[in-house]
Every structure is written in structure tokens, then in C-alpha cells.
Amino acid sequence: MLAACSFNSGKQVQPLFTKISSTTSGINVINQLTFDQKFNIYTYRNFYNGAGVGLGDFNNDGLLDIYFTANQGQNKLYLNKGNFEFEDITDRAGVGGSKAWSTGVSIADVNGDGWQDIYVCNSGDVEGDDKENELFINNGDLTFTERAEEFGIADKGFTTHAVFFDYDRDGDLDLYILNNSYQAIGSFNLMKNIRSERDSLGGDKLMRNDGNFFTDVSEQAGIYGSVIGFGLGATVGDVNQDGWPDIYVSNDFFERDYLYINKQDGTFKECLTEQMKSISGASMGADLADINNDGWPDLFVTEMLPETNARIKTVTTFENWDRYQYGVNNGYYHQFTRNMLQLNNGNGTFSEIGRLAGVEATDWSWGALIFDMDNDGWKDIFVANGIFKDLLEGISL
């Protein structure tokens, strides 16, 4: 169980967190991957992207339990027994999952009965795996029943992540499903921007909760769901402080990100190009929080720019001016290879201050989390990095 971090004051390093060993916690989870000629990083581009972790109090005892997803093994549920000790109750809880490649996990009281449920996103180009997402409804006795098909959210796309939130403020939780494209990167004709064409196989989806059944309202709500969407992050927050939740979607590769502003009538307006002057190129994770205590939520998006000169030269891809203009002219907007810290100006615009704040280059960065680590009243940024070394890199660092 990793819970260790340090704060560098400039003079000395003071530990803020304590690492709890697996022998103490009882948690011993390894996302073990085994490749063969049919299924590997060359046949599935997200092979080494990892799996998700979710926290929730599943027995309402006031202690947070932990759910781990696995790509090729069984998902795991650990019951918090107090004093940082956990018990593996996966088998008796019935939440191991039946799919071959689980990715993200979302914890929420999906049916509003007062008990936390588990929604598992499944993906992976695995032969014979049907990929449907799974919904484990809490029975209130530390057992769960899988009911995704019954609730209408057994999505078959390459689902990366999902977010439950009440977008229409009717008192129940709706669902945003973030999907990654099926199509190979090199197969696209970038001159034909098909952002507005819905993908029948995948594509992002907004699912409205209609009482223990979810209805796909993506098209009527103004949500893009095309084959060029390579979603890796979905972040929900009240961007314009009008009391209604908005959505930011981080897209990998050539497609730009999306900023959906809630119009308070069941629809959204996608207006990233109206509010931001530049964005990350291959956007990964993102988080919304007020970093300067002015009352407006700001946005941090991770990319994959190293800080050191040696790492930049060995792992960073640079685009020439013609390629950059090609993307701009075909509707993919102003994208750059670096993290972006978007400062909310409170007037429907953002100022990108990543380089000014010194957070533009944090290596092969995927996850982002903003919180006050040292309880000094100011939000800090935690970045989770992914692959250290590219498979095709021949230089040993």
C-alpha cells in the first residue's frame, strides 16, 4: 500500500505521509501482465496503461474500503478493518469480475439506497472477451449483484473511465462513459474531421438516470461520440460557478479536448476553443480545483514532457510547423506537448500558466490530483507517472 510523499521546502525535506507496508495492511496486489504473439503492446496500444483503484465505504462503518481492478487477473475488494489493516473479501462479495481487461472503476450509490456500488470499466482488444462494463450493486451485507445489463450501462466500448454525477439536478446520479477509439491511430484521414459523427461501436456517452435504468441522451445533450475521441480523462466540476456541473474531457493523440458547459436544460455547449487559447497535445489525466483561492475552479491537465534534457531527447516527439498548422487548419486546435495549468479568469476564459507556475514538465505523466497536502490552505498538485521507457527506445538511462 503506497502512501508516501515528501514536501520540499527548499531547505529540507519533511515527510508528509507514512508508507504502510503490505505486511501490515494485508494488501498485496500486483497488476501482472503476460503478453504473447496475439496480444501485446503492438496489437493493443493501451497494454501498459495500468488499472484503476476506487475508494468507498461499502459497509457504512465509517472506514474507506479499497477496490482494485486488474487487466488480466481478478479484481480485488479489500475491507478496511481499522488501524490500516485490510481483508480480501473479493470472493464472498462476488466482485472479482468476469471480463479479461478491467481499466477504470467508479464508486457511487448508483440506485440511491444508501449503499455504495461499484462500476467497473472494461476494455482490451482481447479475443473472445465481450468487454461489457460491469455494475456491482451493493446488497447491504458485503455481497454484490452484477446488474449492468439491467441498468442499461453494460457498454461495449473500449471504456477508460466513468463518472457518476447529477447533471440535470433531479436528485439521482447520471453517468458519463469515457471511451477510447477502436481504430488504429495511423488509419485516420485527418483532413476529414468527423468529430460530429457518432461511432456506433464506441464513442463517449452521457447516460441519464431514469430510475434504476440509464438512457443514452448523448446526441440530444450535445455530447461528442466519434471514432476520433481517444478519451483518457473525464473531470466534472462547476466551471462557471452557476450551480450546475460541467465536464472536461482529456483526449489522447490528435483530437482536441472538450469543455462542456451545462446549459441547465439537459444539454451542454462544447466551448473549449472559446475559453482556452491552447491545450495539451496528448492529454492524459486532469483535475479541477481552486489553486489560488479566488473562488473559481482551475484546471490541470497532464501530458508527457520530461524535465531533463536527456529525457526530452530520448522520449519526446516534436512536430514541425507544417504539422502544427495542419492540425489547426483541420479543427484540432492549438495543441502543445506539455502539461497545462488553466487559470480560471471568472469571465468564461482561462489563462494557461503552466510554465509560469513551473508545472509544465513532469515526465511521462498520466494521473493528476489537486489537494492541500500540507494543510496550509493552498492546493497542491500530485502527478502520477506512467511508462518510464518507450519499448522502442534503445538508450539505457
Side-chain angles (χ1 to χ4, degrees):
M1 180 178 181
L2 183 60
C5 185
S6 295
F7 171 69
N8 191 344
S9 64
K11 295 181 179 180
Q12 60 181 349
V13 176
Q14 301 174 346
L16 289 176
F17 300 93
T18 301
K19 182 178 180 180
I20 308 298
S21 69
S22 59
T23 55
T24 299
S25 68
I27 297 175
N28 189 13
V29 176
I30 299 176
N31 187 35
Q32 189 68 47
L33 298 178
T34 302
F35 61 88
D36 55 33
Q37 287 186 333
K38 290 185 178 180
F39 189 53
N40 51 62
I41 186 61
Y42 297 103
T43 59
Y44 179 54
R45 60 177 171 265
N46 293 333
F47 189 84
Y48 289 118
N49 277 25
V53 180
L55 301 177
D57 182 4
F58 296 112
N59 58 349
N60 289 343
D61 66 350
L63 298 171
L64 286 176
D65 312 302
I66 308 177
Y67 187 86
F68 296 88
T69 65
N71 295 144
Q72 294 181 319
Q74 185 187 48
N75 301 330
K76 296 286 185 180
L77 175 58
Y78 281 86
L79 180 69
N80 191 334
K81 299 166 65 177
N83 198 30
F84 296 106
E85 296 178 0
F86 294 80
E87 177 187 358
D88 183 352
I89 62 167
T90 307
D91 291 337
R92 77 169 189 252
V95 293
S98 61
K99 309 304 178 183
W101 196 271
S102 295
T103 52
V105 55
S106 297
I107 310 299
D109 183 4
V110 177
N111 58 351
D113 64 353
W115 299 90
Q116 296 291 299
D117 310 302
I118 305 170
Y119 186 64
V120 178
C121 303
N122 293 305
S123 186
D125 191 8
V126 183
E127 185 176 354
D129 176 35
D130 47 20
K131 303 180 188 63
E132 284 98 336
N133 295 341
E134 296 165 291
L135 173 63
F136 296 100
I137 293 295
N138 195 330
N139 298 320
D141 57 1
L142 287 179
T143 68
F144 296 75
T145 303
E146 202 290 301
R147 299 170 63 183
E149 188 71 35
E150 176 186 339
F151 276 67
I153 51 177
D155 195 83
K156 298 181 180 181
F158 278 3
T159 306
T160 307
H161 184 43
V163 182
F164 287 92
F165 68 113
D166 187 6
Y167 84 92
D168 51 5
R169 294 190 7 179
D170 64 350
D172 55 27
L173 291 177
D174 311 297
L175 174 63
Y176 189 95
I177 298 176
L178 182 73
N179 283 330
N180 206 278
S181 177
Y182 285 87
Q183 195 166 321
I185 303 299
S187 64
F188 288 94
N189 173 14
L190 298 187
M191 291 188 67
K192 184 182 179 182
N193 192 312
I194 54 175
R195 182 178 301 129
S196 298
E197 298 179 16
R198 301 206 64 80
D199 175 23
S200 60
L201 296 176
D204 294 357
K205 297 179 179 67
L206 179 65
M207 311 293 294
R208 186 184 63 213
N209 191 333
D210 290 331
N212 291 350
F213 184 82
F214 289 79
T215 303
D216 186 350
V217 295
S218 310
E219 190 168 5
Q220 67 195 62
I223 301 297
Y224 292 130
S226 75
V227 72
I228 66 173
F230 291 85
L232 289 182
T235 308
V236 172
D238 187 0
V239 172
N240 56 358
Q241 296 293 73
D242 63 352
W244 294 75
D246 310 302
I247 311 168
Y248 189 89
V249 174
S250 308
N251 278 312
D252 196 2
F253 301 113
F254 57 87
E255 173 61 328
R256 66 167 175 84
D257 299 348
Y258 309 139
L259 173 60
Y260 295 105
I261 298 298
N262 197 322
K263 296 175 64 178
Q264 307 179 17
D265 60 358
T267 68
F268 291 81
K269 178 184 179 183
E270 201 289 302
C271 57
L272 181 140
T273 58
E274 299 174 18
Q275 299 201 15
M276 298 177 181
K277 293 184 177 180
S278 61
I279 58 174
S280 298
S283 298
M284 302 283 130
D287 198 12
L288 275 164
D290 182 6
I291 64 164
N292 59 347
N293 292 344
D294 67 348
W296 295 90
D298 311 298
L299 176 73
F300 180 68
V301 181
T302 55
E303 230 265 20
M304 295 175 291
L305 178 64
E307 186 175 6
T308 66
N309 186 52
R311 289 279 291 162
I312 289 174
K313 289 184 175 180
T314 52
V315 303
T316 302
T317 300
F318 295 94
E319 290 184 347
N320 60 36
W321 177 252
D322 291 338
R323 177 61 184 82
Y324 167 74
Q325 287 296 318
Y326 182 88
V328 172
N329 293 334
N330 286 284
Y332 302 108
Y333 206 50
H334 302 284
Q335 300 187 41
F336 300 95
T337 305
R338 62 174 184 268
N339 300 340
M340 296 281 174
L341 180 57
Q342 306 280 0
L343 187 69
N344 193 331
N345 297 319
N347 60 0
T349 69
F350 291 80
S351 295
E352 203 290 295
I353 62 167
R355 288 168 293 179
L356 179 65
V359 296
E360 82 282 7
T362 53
D363 216 88
W364 204 266
S365 302
W366 288 353
L369 180 64
I370 305 175
F371 68 107
D372 185 359
M373 296 185 193
D374 52 359
N375 291 329
D376 66 351
W378 296 93
K379 299 292 194 302
D380 309 298
I381 298 175
F382 178 83
V383 174
N385 283 327
I387 300 171
F388 175 73
K389 192 172 182 180
D390 190 280
L391 281 177
L392 301 179
E393 181 187 331
I395 300 175
S396 179
L397 298 178

